[in-house]
PDB file of all heavy atoms in Angstrom:
ATOM      1  N   LEU A 158     -36.276 198.185  40.035  1.00  0.00           N
ATOM      2  CA  LEU A 158     -36.756 199.543  39.785  1.00  0.00           C
ATOM      3  C   LEU A 158     -36.634 199.905  38.305  1.00  0.00           C
ATOM      4  O   LEU A 158     -37.495 200.593  37.757  1.00  0.00           O
ATOM      5  CB  LEU A 158     -36.022 200.544  40.681  1.00  0.00           C
ATOM      6  CG  LEU A 158     -36.658 200.759  42.074  1.00  0.00           C
ATOM      7  CD1 LEU A 158     -36.570 199.526  42.935  1.00  0.00           C
ATOM      8  CD2 LEU A 158     -36.069 201.959  42.792  1.00  0.00           C
ATOM      9  N   ILE A 159     -35.597 199.406  37.648  1.00  0.00           N
ATOM     10  CA  ILE A 159     -35.495 199.617  36.190  1.00  0.00           C
ATOM     11  C   ILE A 159     -36.681 198.926  35.505  1.00  0.00           C
ATOM     12  O   ILE A 159     -37.353 199.523  34.659  1.00  0.00           O
ATOM     13  CB  ILE A 159     -34.155 199.074  35.653  1.00  0.00           C
ATOM     14  CG1 ILE A 159     -32.986 199.940  36.123  1.00  0.00           C
ATOM     15  CG2 ILE A 159     -34.174 198.988  34.122  1.00  0.00           C
ATOM     16  CD1 ILE A 159     -31.610 199.323  35.855  1.00  0.00           C
ATOM     17  N   ALA A 160     -36.974 197.692  35.918  1.00  0.00           N
ATOM     18  CA  ALA A 160     -38.095 196.952  35.312  1.00  0.00           C
ATOM     19  C   ALA A 160     -39.422 197.677  35.553  1.00  0.00           C
ATOM     20  O   ALA A 160     -40.279 197.727  34.677  1.00  0.00           O
ATOM     21  CB  ALA A 160     -38.146 195.536  35.887  1.00  0.00           C
ATOM     22  N   ALA A 161     -39.573 198.296  36.718  1.00  0.00           N
ATOM     23  CA  ALA A 161     -40.855 198.940  37.077  1.00  0.00           C
ATOM     24  C   ALA A 161     -41.182 200.114  36.159  1.00  0.00           C
ATOM     25  O   ALA A 161     -42.351 200.489  36.016  1.00  0.00           O
ATOM     26  CB  ALA A 161     -40.819 199.390  38.537  1.00  0.00           C
ATOM     27  N   THR A 162     -40.172 200.694  35.497  1.00  0.00           N
ATOM     28  CA  THR A 162     -40.468 201.824  34.599  1.00  0.00           C
ATOM     29  C   THR A 162     -41.314 201.372  33.416  1.00  0.00           C
ATOM     30  O   THR A 162     -41.979 202.181  32.775  1.00  0.00           O
ATOM     31  CB  THR A 162     -39.167 202.461  34.066  1.00  0.00           C
ATOM     32  OG1 THR A 162     -38.446 201.481  33.295  1.00  0.00           O
ATOM     33  CG2 THR A 162     -38.287 202.976  35.199  1.00  0.00           C
ATOM     34  N   LEU A 163     -41.351 200.044  33.155  1.00  0.00           N
ATOM     35  CA  LEU A 163     -42.170 199.522  32.053  1.00  0.00           C
ATOM     36  C   LEU A 163     -43.664 199.731  32.312  1.00  0.00           C
ATOM     37  O   LEU A 163     -44.476 199.687  31.385  1.00  0.00           O
ATOM     38  CB  LEU A 163     -41.912 198.023  31.864  1.00  0.00           C
ATOM     39  CG  LEU A 163     -40.553 197.625  31.306  1.00  0.00           C
ATOM     40  CD1 LEU A 163     -40.338 196.121  31.464  1.00  0.00           C
ATOM     41  CD2 LEU A 163     -40.429 198.032  29.835  1.00  0.00           C
ATOM     42  N   LEU A 164     -44.012 199.986  33.569  1.00  0.00           N
ATOM     43  CA  LEU A 164     -45.432 200.041  33.933  1.00  0.00           C
ATOM     44  C   LEU A 164     -46.152 201.217  33.292  1.00  0.00           C
ATOM     45  O   LEU A 164     -47.380 201.196  33.164  1.00  0.00           O
ATOM     46  CB  LEU A 164     -45.577 200.124  35.461  1.00  0.00           C
ATOM     47  CG  LEU A 164     -45.351 198.810  36.211  1.00  0.00           C
ATOM     48  CD1 LEU A 164     -45.206 199.060  37.698  1.00  0.00           C
ATOM     49  CD2 LEU A 164     -46.506 197.848  35.934  1.00  0.00           C
ATOM     50  N   THR A 165     -45.408 202.255  32.908  1.00  0.00           N
ATOM     51  CA  THR A 165     -46.111 203.405  32.330  1.00  0.00           C
ATOM     52  C   THR A 165     -45.240 204.081  31.282  1.00  0.00           C
ATOM     53  O   THR A 165     -44.013 203.964  31.299  1.00  0.00           O
ATOM     54  CB  THR A 165     -46.493 204.413  33.455  1.00  0.00           C
ATOM     55  OG1 THR A 165     -47.370 205.380  32.895  1.00  0.00           O
ATOM     56  CG2 THR A 165     -45.273 205.106  34.018  1.00  0.00           C
ATOM     57  N   SER A 166     -45.918 204.769  30.361  1.00  0.00           N
ATOM     58  CA  SER A 166     -45.208 205.467  29.292  1.00  0.00           C
ATOM     59  C   SER A 166     -44.667 206.789  29.834  1.00  0.00           C
ATOM     60  O   SER A 166     -45.310 207.435  30.655  1.00  0.00           O
ATOM     61  CB  SER A 166     -46.200 205.746  28.157  1.00  0.00           C
ATOM     62  OG  SER A 166     -45.643 206.663  27.269  1.00  0.00           O
ATOM     63  N   GLY A 167     -43.441 207.166  29.433  1.00  0.00           N
ATOM     64  CA  GLY A 167     -42.904 208.455  29.855  1.00  0.00           C
ATOM     65  C   GLY A 167     -41.406 208.394  30.096  1.00  0.00           C
ATOM     66  O   GLY A 167     -40.762 207.399  29.794  1.00  0.00           O
ATOM     67  N   ILE A 168     -40.890 209.477  30.662  1.00  0.00           N
ATOM     68  CA  ILE A 168     -39.440 209.603  30.902  1.00  0.00           C
ATOM     69  C   ILE A 168     -39.192 209.514  32.404  1.00  0.00           C
ATOM     70  O   ILE A 168     -39.678 210.360  33.161  1.00  0.00           O
ATOM     71  CB  ILE A 168     -38.921 210.951  30.356  1.00  0.00           C
ATOM     72  CG1 ILE A 168     -39.398 211.157  28.904  1.00  0.00           C
ATOM     73  CG2 ILE A 168     -37.415 211.037  30.550  1.00  0.00           C
ATOM     74  CD1 ILE A 168     -38.399 211.254  27.848  1.00  0.00           C
ATOM     75  N   HIS A 169     -38.483 208.494  32.814  1.00  0.00           N
ATOM     76  CA  HIS A 169     -38.227 208.225  34.238  1.00  0.00           C
ATOM     77  C   HIS A 169     -36.796 208.618  34.578  1.00  0.00           C
ATOM     78  O   HIS A 169     -35.891 208.532  33.728  1.00  0.00           O
ATOM     79  CB  HIS A 169     -38.392 206.734  34.544  1.00  0.00           C
ATOM     80  CG  HIS A 169     -39.688 206.149  34.061  1.00  0.00           C
ATOM     81  ND1 HIS A 169     -40.734 205.845  34.894  1.00  0.00           N
ATOM     82  CD2 HIS A 169     -40.106 205.810  32.809  1.00  0.00           C
ATOM     83  CE1 HIS A 169     -41.731 205.337  34.187  1.00  0.00           C
ATOM     84  NE2 HIS A 169     -41.380 205.309  32.923  1.00  0.00           N
ATOM     85  N   THR A 170     -36.579 208.998  35.857  1.00  0.00           N
ATOM     86  CA  THR A 170     -35.226 209.298  36.344  1.00  0.00           C
ATOM     87  C   THR A 170     -34.933 208.414  37.565  1.00  0.00           C
ATOM     88  O   THR A 170     -35.668 208.462  38.551  1.00  0.00           O
ATOM     89  CB  THR A 170     -35.114 210.779  36.753  1.00  0.00           C
ATOM     90  OG1 THR A 170     -35.458 211.585  35.622  1.00  0.00           O
ATOM     91  CG2 THR A 170     -33.694 211.105  37.207  1.00  0.00           C
ATOM     92  N   LEU A 171     -33.866 207.594  37.446  1.00  0.00           N
ATOM     93  CA  LEU A 171     -33.430 206.798  38.599  1.00  0.00           C
ATOM     94  C   LEU A 171     -32.058 207.300  39.017  1.00  0.00           C
ATOM     95  O   LEU A 171     -31.171 207.489  38.150  1.00  0.00           O
ATOM     96  CB  LEU A 171     -33.376 205.301  38.223  1.00  0.00           C
ATOM     97  CG  LEU A 171     -34.721 204.618  37.920  1.00  0.00           C
ATOM     98  CD1 LEU A 171     -34.498 203.132  37.593  1.00  0.00           C
ATOM     99  CD2 LEU A 171     -35.700 204.763  39.077  1.00  0.00           C
ATOM    100  N   ARG A 172     -31.866 207.570  40.307  1.00  0.00           N
ATOM    101  CA  ARG A 172     -30.617 208.141  40.839  1.00  0.00           C
ATOM    102  C   ARG A 172     -29.878 207.109  41.685  1.00  0.00           C
ATOM    103  O   ARG A 172     -30.492 206.178  42.208  1.00  0.00           O
ATOM    104  CB  ARG A 172     -30.951 209.379  41.701  1.00  0.00           C
ATOM    105  CG  ARG A 172     -31.768 210.411  40.937  1.00  0.00           C
ATOM    106  CD  ARG A 172     -32.270 211.537  41.816  1.00  0.00           C
ATOM    107  NE  ARG A 172     -33.274 212.348  41.105  1.00  0.00           N
ATOM    108  CZ  ARG A 172     -32.977 213.218  40.145  1.00  0.00           C
ATOM    109  NH1 ARG A 172     -31.710 213.409  39.793  1.00  0.00           N
ATOM    110  NH2 ARG A 172     -33.936 213.881  39.502  1.00  0.00           N
TER     111      ARG A 172
END
Side-chain angles (χ1 to χ4, degrees):
L158 273 67
I159 290 169
T162 62
L163 290 168
L164 284 167
T165 190
S166 167
I168 310 243
H169 309 255
T170 303
L171 293 181
R172 305 172 192 285

